[in-house]
Amino acid sequence: MDKKLYIQALLVINIIIHVSSATDVVSSAKNISAIFIFGDSIFDAGNNHFNKNCSAQADFPPYGSTFFHHPTGRFTNGRTVADFISQFMGIGMQQPYLEAQNAVFNGSRKDYPSNGINFASAGSGVLPGTNKDWGVISIQEQLRQFQTLAEQNRIDKRVVEKSVIFLESGSNDIFNYFLPFDPPTLDPDAYVEAMTNKVANLIDQIYKLGSQRIAVFSLGPVGCIPARALLPAAPLNRCYGKINVMVKKYNKALERLVNNIPLTHPGAVAVYGAVYDMVQHFRALPNRYGKSLSLSEKRFELNPVQ
């Protein structure tokens, strides 16, 4: 897992450096002094772990087994994509907001980290009600936490201006759309539109806080995760095509949104991280990344086929 995430991180870094060097706002990645992270389990570095009212936890093995050698609250055996990017850029991994908050409150640290903060909460979505009963921190609340720190001058304005924002969310919203005990009231297209509108609102608020750079990550093939087996009519020997169709529609909407950011926010730099495409690339050329697929894996299609 670590190697695949490392490759994804390098691809995103290359995009950030390339786009940034072409603008007047940023001359190179060296200008980035901090990363502020919003999202779900793809980015969560331990906020749920420090949220004792949250039932979505990764505080047991094999989580954390390959790098930290103990569970850290990350929903991976090692580091997240954000961790890799931060280390590659030489600014250090971002501390979970709730961990930093506890340290400030108990006096073990004077103020919040200057290299950015990770606000992500596993299980959350772009829709405020997604998995609310689990006690997760919605992405809207994550942004409010960031906004409060900025308004109270607990984060230096110059740090925010030189930062890059990472935003990734939506997989839990789409997965929950297919749960049998809470039928959706919207059709798939309207649901995706509602999700996209929430993301557009989040991006507007982020730029109002002073950050000029954002990397918006698309979703991976949610219809291929093992948990799909919990859904009625989901195939066990291949991906759940209906979910991946919805994911692709959402990703296309995100990409259009990101492409329009320089128009709606003059001077802003926006990057779209095509995660779905990266996963397909890994599966198409596994040997290039030190992995070979078994026969059963080769039969397991990523394409949205029923």
Side-chain angles (χ1 to χ4, degrees):
M1 179 65 73
D2 256 5
K3 187 170 184 179
K4 181 184 286 188
L5 291 177
Y6 179 70
I7 295 164
Q8 291 183 13
L10 288 181
L11 289 172
V12 175
I13 293 166
N14 286 337
I15 295 171
I16 291 175
I17 294 173
H18 173 72
V19 174
S20 298
S21 63
T23 67
D24 294 330
V25 180
V26 184
S27 59
S28 73
K30 293 180 180 179
N31 294 91
I32 298 174
S33 61
I35 302 175
F36 294 99
I37 304 162
F38 305 90
D40 52 29
S41 60
I42 299 298
F43 284 155
D44 190 347
N47 279 305
N48 283 13
H49 175 70
F50 290 94
N51 179 6
K52 300 309 177 185
N53 295 320
C54 181
S55 60
Q57 296 291 341
D59 51 3
F60 52 88
Y63 294 119
S65 59
T66 63
F67 181 77
F68 301 99
H69 304 297
H70 63 88
T72 63
R74 290 169 172 81
F75 285 72
T76 173
N77 61 327
R79 289 161 285 182
T80 68
V81 171
D83 292 332
F84 278 118
I85 294 175
S86 298
Q87 289 184 308
F88 183 88
M89 295 172 65
I91 61 176
M93 292 184 282
Q94 283 64 45
Q95 193 173 23
Y97 166 71
L98 292 181
E99 181 181 20
Q101 184 186 58
N102 290 343
V104 171
F105 283 176
N106 65 30
S108 60
R109 68 174 302 143
K110 184 178 179 181
D111 217 331
Y112 289 87
S114 60
N115 70 326
I117 300 172
N118 190 321
F119 296 90
S121 173
S124 64
V126 297
L127 301 176
T130 296
N131 296 329
K132 186 176 181 180
D133 54 331
W134 293 2
V136 301
I137 305 168
S138 71
I139 202 163
Q140 287 79 13
E141 180 59 28
Q142 295 172 34
L143 186 58
R144 280 192 288 270
Q145 291 169 342
F146 178 51
Q147 185 175 12
T148 297
L149 292 181
E151 291 175 347
Q152 294 178 349
N153 294 321
R154 304 306 299 268
I155 304 175
D156 193 307
K157 182 179 179 180
R158 292 167 295 183
V159 171
V160 175
E161 291 173 348
K162 291 184 178 181
S163 72
V164 60
I165 303 294
F166 284 1
L167 176 63
E168 186 280 335
S169 187
S171 59
N172 294 305
D173 305 283
I174 291 179
F175 185 86
N176 285 6
Y177 185 86
F178 293 87
L179 292 175
F181 45 81
D182 190 16
T185 58
L186 299 175
D187 64 54
D189 289 344
Y191 193 81
V192 167
E193 183 179 359
M195 291 173 61
T196 308
N197 289 339
K198 291 295 184 183
V199 175
N201 183 259
L202 289 167
I203 290 173
D204 287 341
Q205 294 181 62
I206 286 170
Y207 280 114
K208 287 177 182 178
L209 291 173
S211 179
Q212 291 293 299
R213 287 169 284 198
I214 186 168
V216 179
F217 292 74
S218 77
L219 304 185
V222 181
C224 301
I225 64 174
R228 78 192 185 288
L230 301 173
L231 302 174
L236 300 181
N237 62 345
R238 64 182 187 277
C239 300
Y240 196 176
K242 289 184 178 180
I243 292 183
N244 284 345
V245 167
M246 205 164 170
V247 166
K248 286 187 172 183
K249 288 181 178 180
Y250 176 66
N251 286 345
K252 285 186 179 298
L254 282 184
E255 188 172 13
R256 288 193 296 269
L257 185 63
V258 170
N259 289 339
N260 285 332
I261 285 176
L263 302 176
T264 56
H265 301 276
V269 175
V271 173
Y272 174 74
V275 175
Y276 196 108
D277 296 338
M278 291 179 191
V279 173
Q280 293 231 21
H281 181 70
F282 293 147
R283 287 185 59 83
L285 300 167
N287 294 332
R288 183 176 295 181
Y289 305 102
K291 178 176 173 58
S292 60
L293 296 183
S294 66
L295 181 60
S296 60
E297 286 177 313
K298 290 177 181 177
R299 289 173 177 168
F300 197 84
E301 298 292 338
L302 283 178
N303 295 323
V305 178
Q306 295 303 307

